Amino acid sequence: MGATINTSGHVAANLAVSAFGMLFGIAVFLLVPLQVGGEDYRAIANVQSPAFFPILLSAAVIVFSAILAFSTLRNAGRHDADDALHTGDDARPIEAPLKVVGVAACLVLYYFALSLIGMIAASIILILVMSYIMGFRNFWIAGLVAAVIPLSIYFLFEKTLYVLLPEGRLF
Amino acid sequence: MLSDLFNGITSFFGLIAITSAFLGLIAGIVIGALPGLTATMTVAVLTPFTFFMETAIALPFLLGIYKGAIYGGSIPAILINTPGTNAAAATTLDGYPLSKQGHSRKALEISLYGSVIADMAGTMVLIAVTAPLAAIAIKFSSPEFAILFIFALTMIAGVSGRSFAKGLIGATIGALIGCIGLDPMSGHQRFTFGVPDLTGGISLVPVLIGMFALSEILIQSERRVIGAISSVTEGVQKHLSLAELRANLVTIFRSTGIGIFLGALPGLGAEIACWVAYGDAKRTSKNPGLFGKGSLEGVAAAESGNNATVPATLIPMLVFGIPGDTVTAVLLGAFMAQGLLPGPLLFQQHSDVIYGLFGILLLTNVLLLLFGLVAIRSFRHVVAIPQSILLPCVTVLCFAGAYAVSSNLFDVLVLLIGGFAGYAMRKTGVPIPPFVIALLLAPPLENALRQSLLFSDDGILIFITRPISAAMLAVLLVGCGILVWRTIAARRKGGGRSVTPSGAE
């Protein structure tokens, strides 16, 4: 009897990282002529060129990604004491995926709400909704915190530190 | 040096600086004591606050937060078996059993004394070595700095996670992101895609807040029950006796030495030091069997090890401009925002500020001891705050802090993207520290590398013909060899046993 180790998840994660790294490196490489002052790939031989360092790095990320892919495929299926997913790692399976999606949606909507309804209103709604999603069910305390925290931050930033916070287009 | 210290203290010290350090210390302890809020997150979220403060207020405040957060992480580790910060992970092994046995006060006190002693010793080492090191570093030229930066990034990539390759991928992508903006030599735009906000590059602080704080919030939201904290045991509130403290002094000092050494090396921070110190204490203890069951020695070792790193990580940051860990990466950003560019010239141009800060660091140790002794009884209330209401409040602070950097919603977008990117990195096992430190070091690395090659008659051989850079290159290659060998050895230790793809027994 041995410990169950999610080797398939580990292999998939490594290959995903490797694929992303390669795509990223290739994308940067292809974007150089368009995004770096009209330079082309010959810039790798010219230290003065603004494209020199990005080309060097994009080549490096492609090489490192290839190494990761190669070593992952070579060792796939083997019990890897060092790389396998362990209990307690961030890479553990997600217990409540809907909760994560809900929180992520809150963050995105909050960003858009900042420019629409302003920081205070958006923050009140965020605290109420997000705490509910995360399982907090004491609505009185949630309401109190939702009122106090944004107002405290407003007074701290705008009245004490003289830092403007986002104002909404609507109010 | 003593006269510099005295001048720095008298010119920089004031009631406001002391008050600022004390407030930072309290904020750091309280926030560090909250599970789910790491020291990096704490410093990153509060850093934007300091942009609008004077240097004499901002820097003591941030350093106070850093110290407080590292110590504060031990409180929930002892009381509720949940480290407040990653640096307190080893503290749970003996701290919580002591708490269950009714000795929570003793555990909290040995943690406090160990932390203060370690921090004080580390601060004295910091004061003693930084100026001489800076005098050596000032002789460094572009080739030496280029190799040093590459060495630091490689080591950070190698020790930050379980995979060297993933660390290197993270570091190179971080460096590429750091290329966005204007080319430092020619001023040409690079990868701005016509977006005016990208002309100045990607702002570091929103990235840090997003990758450390927002990603942590997403990680915490994965749990089915958030904030389900086991009840805090009151226990018999016996104080730590003088004899018990004396019996652990050797362990405290040895762990302090380990913490100082590891803290001074880039990439190895408190999170690693606590485990190394704990393991060493267990190995050398007269009672190794007590470890894991409620040993004061275990708590002392872990806490001394992690707190000694706090001043030690400032050594590479102040001398070379290389952050020793992720928290100092954030601090580096804060220093730069205050107009202080860490590096060898810092001691020449701002010695009064630096020595004043050294004085503040010494003073905050005393304040930590005084505050800790008084507040120990109240700590159990802090750890009882449910994360499900705390984390939404932290979210608001993150967004406010990111916006405050330049009053631009674009920075908030960077924060958001950084948060999702950080979450994806953590789920796939790609360490974040190499990415953010590479983002920070990319501009000076590029400058040093290109200048070295530009002014070299030997081309790339300049890194070998100059003795200091050749020596550092040799150390780099040896270090890479050790990291690769470690990976291969770990694979062989796995025994090559085949398991089915689903990991069935």
Side-chain angles (χ1 to χ4, degrees):
Chain A
M1 195 147 36
T4 301
I5 296 174
N6 186 2
T7 54
S8 60
H10 162 65
V11 170
N14 277 7
L15 290 178
V17 170
S18 174
F20 177 83
M22 282 204 206
L23 286 172
F24 192 90
I26 292 169
V28 169
F29 196 68
L30 293 174
L31 281 170
V32 161
L34 299 169
Q35 290 293 324
V36 188
E39 296 286 334
D40 62 24
Y41 309 117
R42 286 172 292 181
I44 190 62
N46 178 10
V47 172
Q48 288 183 334
S49 165
F52 170 78
F53 197 55
I55 292 175
L56 194 65
L57 289 174
S58 62
V61 79
I62 292 169
V63 167
F64 295 143
S65 301
I67 291 172
L68 178 64
F70 174 73
S71 69
T72 301
L73 291 170
R74 189 163 173 265
N75 296 297
R78 290 171 62 185
H79 175 198
D80 189 322
D82 200 38
D83 287 343
L85 298 175
H86 294 279
T87 306
D89 261 356
D90 289 338
R92 63 183 173 269
I94 300 172
E95 288 177 23
L98 283 179
K99 205 177 270 188
V100 178
V101 171
V103 169
C106 281
L107 296 177
V108 174
L109 291 172
Y110 183 50
Y111 166 71
F112 288 108
L114 284 176
S115 55
L116 208 59
I117 61 175
M119 184 106 200
I120 297 177
S123 301
I124 290 172
I125 297 169
L126 174 84
I127 291 175
L128 288 170
V129 173
M130 200 164 145
S131 61
Y132 182 82
I133 292 173
M134 288 187 142
F136 193 76
R137 292 292 183 265
N138 188 327
F139 299 113
W140 291 110
I141 292 184
L144 184 66
V145 171
V148 168
I149 295 296
L151 285 172
S152 303
I153 290 175
Y154 168 77
F155 279 110
L156 176 65
F157 275 81
E158 295 222 359
K159 302 301 179 191
T160 310
L161 298 174
Y162 301 107
V163 176
L164 295 176
L165 292 175
E167 285 182 355
R169 271 175 266 157
L170 296 180
F171 56 83
Chain B
M1 194 210 311
L2 283 175
S3 61
D4 288 328
L5 192 60
F6 178 76
N7 288 337
I9 290 172
T10 51
S11 64
F12 199 68
F13 249 178
L15 190 58
I16 292 181
I18 299 169
T19 308
S20 175
F22 187 55
L23 289 174
L25 194 67
I26 296 174
I29 291 174
V30 170
I31 298 173
L34 297 168
L37 300 185
T38 63
T40 310
M41 200 169 154
T42 306
V43 177
V45 170
L46 294 178
T47 288
F49 282 73
T50 67
F51 290 170
F52 313 98
M53 301 175 183
E54 290 176 17
T55 306
I57 301 172
L59 297 183
F61 182 69
L62 283 177
L63 289 172
I65 290 171
Y66 183 17
K67 277 177 184 275
I70 296 294
Y71 165 67
S74 69
I75 299 164
I78 290 167
L79 294 180
I80 57 171
N81 198 29
T82 305
T85 63
N86 294 339
T91 308
T92 59
L93 298 180
D94 284 282
Y96 187 59
L98 278 167
S99 196
K100 283 200 294 187
Q101 292 160 21
H103 299 303
S104 57
R105 184 156 198 141
K106 281 193 185 186
L108 286 168
E109 285 180 353
I110 192 79
S111 162
L112 178 64
Y113 294 133
S115 299
V116 170
I117 292 170
D119 208 323
M120 190 69 86
T123 303
M124 288 180 185
V125 169
L126 169 72
I127 294 170
V129 307
T130 38
L133 271 180
I136 296 172
I138 212 151
K139 298 188 172 100
F140 280 21
S141 183
S142 296
E144 285 76 32
F145 276 113
I147 296 296
L148 186 63
F149 291 143
I150 294 171
F151 173 77
L153 284 172
T154 308
M155 289 301 110
I156 290 165
V159 303
S160 292
R162 297 181 195 278
S163 167
F164 191 15
K166 282 184 190 174
L168 288 172
I169 291 170
T172 39
I173 291 179
L176 272 168
I177 302 291
C179 291
I180 295 174
L182 299 178
D183 172 51
M185 279 192 177
S186 62
H188 278 117
Q189 291 196 14
R190 294 191 301 196
F191 307 108
T192 58
F193 300 95
V195 177
D197 292 308
L198 286 176
T199 309
I202 300 288
S203 190
L204 178 69
V205 171
V207 172
L208 287 171
I209 299 175
M211 288 202 138
F212 289 110
L214 280 197
S215 72
E216 182 63 32
I217 290 167
L218 288 165
I219 289 282
Q220 294 295 330
S221 69
E222 288 179 359
R223 291 187 287 151
R224 206 166 281 127
V225 181
I226 298 171
I229 298 171
S230 48
S231 59
V232 177
T233 52
E234 284 279 341
V236 177
Q237 298 297 326
K238 276 189 182 171
H239 287 273
L240 187 77
S241 69
L242 202 56
E244 284 170 326
L245 175 61
R246 249 200 321 260
N248 288 289
L249 276 178
V250 172
T251 300
I252 287 172
F253 280 113
R254 190 168 50 241
S255 301
T256 297
I258 291 171
I260 291 171
F261 176 71
L262 293 178
L265 297 175
L268 305 172
E271 297 170 12
I272 293 173
C274 67
W275 287 109
V276 175
Y278 183 85
D280 176 76
K282 185 176 178 182
R283 189 178 52 81
T284 55
S285 172
K286 291 176 190 161
N287 305 296
L290 280 178
F291 278 67
K293 296 174 188 153
S295 165
L296 284 172
E297 204 179 347
V299 175
E303 283 302 302
S304 304
N306 72 24
N307 276 267
T309 64
V310 171
T313 51
L314 295 175
I315 297 173
M317 190 198 91
L318 291 174
V319 176
F320 299 110
I322 295 174
D325 64 0
T326 50
V327 182
T328 42
V330 182
L331 286 174
L332 187 60
F335 268 68
M336 288 159 68
Q338 293 291 332
L340 302 168
L341 192 63
L345 294 178
L346 186 66
F347 286 81
Q348 286 189 342
Q349 295 168 352
H350 301 283
S351 64
D352 56 338
V353 174
I354 297 305
Y355 281 101
L357 282 178
F358 290 164
I360 289 283
L361 286 171
L362 288 171
L363 180 66
T364 47
N365 289 326
V366 178
L367 293 175
L368 174 62
L369 180 65
L370 296 173
F371 178 74
L373 287 172
V374 168
I376 270 180
R377 295 179 71 176
S378 312
F379 288 155
R380 67 182 183 280
H381 299 300
V382 174
V383 303
I385 300 174
Q387 287 183 46
S388 50
I389 189 67
L390 179 67
L391 294 178
C393 300
V394 172
T395 304
V396 173
L397 257 181
C398 290
F399 276 71
Y403 183 80
V405 172
S406 50
S407 297
N408 189 345
L409 273 174
F410 184 77
D411 288 329
V412 181
L413 182 62
V414 169
L415 164 87
L416 198 57
I417 295 171
F420 289 128
Y423 180 70
M425 289 168 74
R426 289 171 76 164
K427 295 308 291 181
T428 50
V430 179
I432 293 176
F435 178 92
V436 297
I437 294 175
L439 179 65
L440 190 66
L441 291 183
L445 169 58
E446 181 180 3
N447 258 339
L449 184 66
R450 288 169 73 183
Q451 280 179 10
S452 304
L453 295 173
L454 200 59
F455 298 115
S456 161
D457 294 327
D458 304 314
I460 202 167
L461 291 177
I462 191 173
F463 299 112
I464 301 171
T465 54
R466 291 175 68 93
I468 298 178
S469 70
M472 286 198 288
L473 189 59
V475 173
L476 168 65
L477 292 172
V478 168
C480 287
I482 292 172
L483 290 167
V484 171
W485 172 81
R486 193 185 74 168
T487 304
I488 295 171
R491 291 231 162 88
R492 284 192 186 146
K493 187 181 163 188
R497 282 181 280 140
S498 292
V499 294
T500 60
S502 63
E505 295 171 7

